Amino acid sequence: MSVNLEKYNEIKKELGTTTLVAVSKTKPNEDIQELYALGQRDFGENYVQELVDKEAALPKDIRWHFIGHLQSNKVKYIAPFVYLIHGVDSFKLLQEINKQAVKQNRIIDCLLQVHIAQEETKFGMNETELEEALAGAAALPNVRVCGLMGMGSFSDDLEKVRGEFRFLKALFDKCSEWPVVGIEWAILSMGMSGDYAIAMEEGSTTVRIGSLLFGARTYKEKGI
Ligand SMILES: *Cc1c(COP(=O)(O)O)cnc(C)c1O
């Protein structure tokens, strides 16, 4: 058994009212079911095909979070059921999500991803792009932008990571004062296995934790 149920209970206690998204990418359905049996309902996935397969096979009351880099041409596959898309990193993608949401006759909740880490490889908007996307979102009736998402640097220097999270929280608060941002502005998704405690201290409302719960992922991840 690879799922660490003890750790799950420990983390749940530690998190209190902070939302835990259990990141189950690359992990089998049985692992998800083990946490489901303990009451976990929020699961995060990075790959469209994998998410579509899991959604079809697993209980319908799971809230599926898409946390990976989403390509516009794949939005249509997850639009019927996705609960929250964390990694919206362009206005163009937001427009496509709106288009697919209209077709599904639903409103899709989204977070805008901000680039806060030093690494070049991590996706996300800068502040100007963020402002433009927020302004544009007002004209997209079938997406609801609920907040921001960010990934800290992959670094042992946790004070550096803390600074990145603090920056994101400040931006999150600043956006909430924007006229176009409505009452749904409530989610700040930051913190992973290695830095969730710091993220919480810096005001995260939602953490995305994979390897602490499910064990290390064995194969190299594609493109994230
Ligand atoms: C994989 C992933 C996580 C979880 O990472 P762990 O270090 O295993 O907790 C969180 N967020 C994103 C965006 C990811 O791609």
Side-chain angles (χ1 to χ4, degrees), residues 21 23 25 46-47 67-68 86 113 149-151 154 191-194 207-213 215 217 221 224:
V21 176
V23 178
K25 62 183 175 209
N46 287 51
Y47 311 113
I67 64 169
H86 289 231
Q113 183 172 359
M149 180 269 213
M151 289 175 84
F154 187 68
M192 307 174 29
S193 288
V207 297
R208 311 173 308 268
I209 298 181
S211 39
L212 276 185
L213 302 173
R217 290 174 293 273
E221 289 160 30
I224 156 114

Side-chain angles (χ1 to χ4, degrees), residues 41-59:
R41 290 295 179 272
D42 293 275
F43 289 91
E45 292 283 337
N46 287 51
Y47 311 113
V48 168
Q49 189 57 54
E50 184 178 346
L51 173 52
V52 167
D53 292 345
K54 284 175 171 170
E55 194 275 336
L58 287 161

